Each structure stands twice: as C-alpha cells, then as structure tokens.
Amino acid sequence: MMRLGISTAAVALLATGAVADGHLIVTPGEGVFDWDSYEEFAAAHDYTGQTLTMASPWLGPDAVAAEAVLAYFAAATGASVTQAGSDSFEQQILIDTAAGSPPNVAVFPQPGLACDLAARGFLSPLGDETAAWMAENYAAGPSWVALGSCDKVEGFYSFAYSVNVKSLVWYVPEDFEEAGYEIPESMEELKALTDQIVADGGTPWCIGLGSGGATGWPATDWVEDMMLRTQPPEVYDQWVKNEIPFTDPRIVAAIEEFGHFALNDDYVAGGASAVASTDFRDSPDGMFSSPPQCYMHRQASFIPAFFPEDVVVGEDADFFYLPSYEAADLGKPVLGAGTLMAITDDSEVTRGFIEFLKLPLAHEIWMSIETQAFLTPHLGANLEAYHNDTLRGQGEILRNATTFRFDGSDLMPGGVGAGTFWTGMVDYASGKSAQEVASDIQDSWDSLK
C-alpha cells in the first residue's frame, strides 16, 4: 500500500471505504471523533513496505470491528496489516511464541497468560513512557499500569484495550418509578432499598449461578465486587495471588456479603434454594414479568444479550453502578475484564501501533460500531462516540472509577479460579458455611503449590 497524505488522497480513500475490505466507516472531519491527533500521527509515522501482524481471540463481528480500527492505522501509515482471530488463541500463542514465529502483537484476554509469556522472555516491554502515559490518560490510571505489569519480571508489558464492566445492577425503570424507588448511591442505601422492597411485598433480587460446566462463576463476581467494597485494592491484589489465604476473615466476610443478598429467602426470587440451580441466562427474566418477580439483577454489561427479545435496553431495562459503602470510604471501585495488547515480535511498525492506541480515535472508532459493546477508560475519547446511551452510561462508570480491578477468578490458577472457587460458591449457596467453603478453596490452592 502506498502511504497517502491524510489531507488529500487518504480522505478520498477513506470516503470510498477502499481500505481493508471496506472496514473504514467514517471519513476525517466526520462525527465526534478526534481527527486532529490522528492527522498529526499520520504526518509523523511512515511505515510503507512494513507489515503488522496481530493474533487475537476476536471472531465474527469483533474481528470486523478490530479490522476497522486497524484500517485507520494502515491508512495513516502505509503499513500492511493482518489480523487473525482464533477460538483457540490461548493455545496457539503458546505454540507460536515457543516456535519463534509469533505475531507482532498478541491480544490477551487473560493478564496471567501475558505475564507467563513475559516471564519466559516472549514479550517486549512497552516502556516506562507508555506506562506513564497510561497512568495519566486512563481513568484510575495506576490500576491499568498495575494490570499491565507482572510480578515475576520487571517492566510494563500490556496495554489495556476494550474493557467490560461487571459492577452493574440492572432494573426496570417503569417498575422503580411506579413503586417510588430511587437509585441507591451507597451500599447502605442499596441494602435499605432491598429491605424496603420486601416490606412493600416484593422480591428484590434475581440471582442465578447455573452455567453448565462453569456453574458458580456469577457468585465469584459478587464476591470480587464485595472485596473491592469492603477492603482496599491492595488486599484484593494480595488475595488473588494467595498472599492472603481464602480463610482470612476479610475474605470470608466478603463471601458473607454475597450471602447477605443470596441466602435470604425474602430477598431472592424462588427463595435462596433456587440460587444455585437457576441458570444465569434465565435469571434476569423475573424482572420483566408482570407483576415483577424481582426488581434487581447484578450482572456484567453483556447480560442484555439474554434479556427477552422484546426488551429495549435504555427503555424497558436500565442499570446503575453497584455502589460502595459510604462508611468504608473506598471511592468508586469497578470490577471488570477486557483484553490486553502486548508485543510478541518487536519492530518499528509494532511500536508505532502502540503509539496509535494512545489516540482517542483508536478507541472512538470501535465505540461507534453498532454491533459492539466496546468500552474504554481513555479520558481523551469522546463519550459522544458511543453509539447508544447504555454504553455511554457504562463508559461514564468506567471513567469515574477510582480503582479498576480485573476479574479475580481469571487471575487465579485455573484449578481455583475456574474450579474450586466456582464449585465452592455453589456449595455456599446450597448451605455450606463461608468458612468451610473458604477452607476447601484454600486446600485446593495449597495442593497446586
């Protein structure tokens, strides 16, 4: 590809959608996007004749969205770009790096896997300058720098890009309005609202842990959120590394915070005995019955995909931030997950791509794609680029976060985070004590050491 001047031929190229199989979706100067920094970037970066390769877990619409973003990088720099998505990315990247044939950039959904490769010398550090940029330009910036850093090897290795938010409570605005309920601003108010709904003859919560072979994971998210609302983030970090055992009273107390909501027959649709057996995908349905079987459902940003087909998010359903304890004074922590960009084969064009990711436009393009639920903590990205109010609201929650922490179970060894932590929470919902469950999980972790 020839490198094109952004002010002339590239504008025409972008307008015709002739780059990357038509994945370019807007032209310079259009919409609410930051074109100025993009044009400055293009003027300073010429990678004509160079190729950038990327491997990711992105398939289908996600792959199309990624290619749309990459098309703007290619148009600005003259680089050739290829993106290969795979549903076995985690296995393939291990094979490719060990064989000495990795892509330039790998997109990791699991920070632990990225750090494992960094410790083996298969990742190139992004540098102190990029770490400092992220600390300043991402909301809760130090949290993201910590996420991209590794314990076993010094340096900053991973650039967080494309995030989802888990600290959400879904509800039906019409039902809240008819009952006169207000959105709670603190955990104390959320607990008071829970009691008020019961006093009014309703059931506050729908909770379901069923997920086939992964049954139990929704409860781990609850516990992680409660950890961030009862303990400083440093304690959360020590917990997910098992520097603090599961049997620590602070961890047991966080499990019991989940139990406050899930183990009370008056609080949960179907009673506490239904929590473990109800499929998480079916669990929110109770909010949409008439009269409502429940008023609230705590779940991540993806859950509308499982709402009834006729439910319009933003009208028939909405969400609010799962609040923190006012008395604990821990700010506004947000639990979530996402993907991390890392360099697995260093080159000039690869370094240029990392610089491209710092541009608001590199985020705004994906934010605007209607098939996507892309969120970003980039403070420079225009919130108006989100293609609907739901994502804009979630983006604001992410931007207002004082702390961000990655899903804790995903950071733990697989046998725990995707094993005994899941099954232990089912045991807890089925009647086992939090202390017993915590002991079982810790025993399993000890057996892996």
Side-chain angles (χ1 to χ4, degrees):
M1 176 193 294
M2 292 181 60
R3 185 168 186 276
L4 302 165
I6 285 299
S7 61
T8 54
V11 175
L13 188 61
L14 289 164
T16 62
V19 177
D21 298 326
H23 290 314
L24 291 169
I25 54 178
V26 289
T27 59
E30 180 183 350
V32 295
F33 309 105
D34 181 355
W35 292 111
D36 290 342
S37 61
Y38 177 71
E39 292 177 355
E40 291 173 3
F41 174 84
H45 297 82
D46 184 352
Y47 302 126
T48 302
Q50 298 186 48
T51 297
L52 176 77
T53 57
M54 175 185 291
S56 78
W58 293 325
L59 297 167
D62 291 343
V64 173
E67 288 160 12
V69 174
L70 290 169
Y72 286 89
F73 175 73
T77 65
S80 297
V81 181
T82 62
Q83 196 281 132
S86 171
D87 58 5
S88 58
F89 164 81
E90 291 86 351
Q91 293 76 31
Q92 192 62 48
I93 195 63
L94 292 173
I95 295 169
D96 292 345
T97 51
S101 57
N104 296 119
V105 175
V107 183
F108 291 91
Q110 299 154 333
L113 179 57
C115 282
D116 285 347
L117 292 181
R120 295 168 60 185
F122 290 143
L123 300 188
S124 297
L126 301 183
D128 293 341
E129 183 178 336
T130 296
W133 178 91
M134 184 162 283
E136 182 176 348
N137 290 278
Y138 267 28
S143 295
W144 298 101
V145 174
L147 183 62
S149 304
C150 303
D151 291 334
K152 296 180 181 179
V153 58
E154 185 176 353
F156 176 64
Y157 287 89
S158 302
F159 193 110
Y161 180 80
S162 183
V163 178
N164 62 61
V165 171
K166 293 175 178 271
S167 302
L168 303 175
V169 178
W170 296 86
Y171 71 105
V172 174
E174 182 179 354
D175 291 342
F176 262 51
E177 184 177 350
E178 287 183 1
Y181 300 144
E182 301 289 335
I183 302 301
E185 299 293 332
S186 68
M187 185 60 70
E188 290 92 341
E189 290 184 7
L190 179 61
K191 288 187 172 181
L193 173 60
T194 297
D195 288 331
Q196 182 61 53
I197 293 172
V198 172
D200 292 341
T203 302
W205 295 93
C206 278
I207 304 174
L209 307 187
S211 186
T215 291
W217 72 258
T220 69
D221 283 1
W222 269 93
V223 173
E224 290 152 9
D225 254 329
M226 291 306 177
M227 277 292 297
L228 292 173
R229 282 151 182 77
T230 58
Q231 301 298 327
E234 295 78 14
V235 174
Y236 182 94
D237 296 339
Q238 292 172 309
W239 169 54
V240 300
K241 299 172 187 174
N242 207 222
E243 293 172 0
I244 292 175
F246 252 91
T247 51
D248 186 282
R250 292 166 291 184
I251 315 306
V252 174
I255 296 173
E256 291 173 338
E257 283 289 306
F258 164 62
H260 173 85
F261 296 97
L263 299 186
N264 187 323
D265 285 332
D266 292 334
Y267 285 178
V268 186
S273 62
V275 169
S277 59
T278 300
D279 193 287
F280 87 93
R281 289 156 287 211
D282 300 329
S283 180
D285 288 352
M287 292 192 297
F288 305 108
S289 63
S290 182
Q293 295 176 17
C294 65
Y295 283 81
M296 295 178 287
H297 180 71
R298 183 232 157 271
Q299 189 50 273
S301 53
F302 67 79
I303 197 60
F306 302 105
F307 288 170
E309 290 184 4
D310 60 345
V311 170
V312 177
V313 176
E315 298 177 14
D316 306 315
D318 210 338
F319 62 90
F320 58 85
Y321 167 70
L322 179 67
S324 55
Y325 281 99
E326 185 176 6
D329 194 26
L330 291 171
K332 292 186 174 182
V334 169
L335 177 73
T339 52
L340 305 172
M341 299 277 196
I343 295 176
T344 42
D345 185 16
D346 210 349
S347 68
E348 180 186 20
V349 66
T350 305
R351 291 287 167 176
F353 179 69
I354 298 299
E355 291 302 307
F356 175 73
L357 293 178
K358 298 176 183 179
L359 301 181
L361 184 79
H363 302 247
E364 292 164 345
I365 292 299
W366 204 324
M367 291 161 65
S368 71
I369 299 174
E370 292 187 1
T371 61
Q372 296 294 292
F374 178 97
L375 299 174
T376 179
H378 194 316
L379 294 171
N382 190 342
L383 287 170
E384 293 304 312
Y386 284 114
H387 59 84
N388 62 46
D389 290 340
T390 297
L391 290 174
R392 191 170 300 112
Q394 293 172 7
E396 288 175 345
I397 288 174
L398 192 57
R399 184 171 290 194
N400 291 332
T402 55
T403 299
F404 180 91
R405 283 298 183 270
F406 206 89
D407 183 305
S409 60
D410 285 345
L411 300 176
M412 297 173 185
V416 177
T420 54
F421 194 6
W422 289 354
T423 57
M425 296 314 298
V426 174
D427 291 341
Y428 178 62
S430 301
K432 209 166 189 178
S433 74
Q435 186 65 58
E436 288 178 295
V437 166
S439 295
D440 290 344
I441 298 171
Q442 185 57 48
D443 288 345
S444 75
W445 204 324
D446 290 340
S447 71
L448 297 174
K449 295 178 181 178

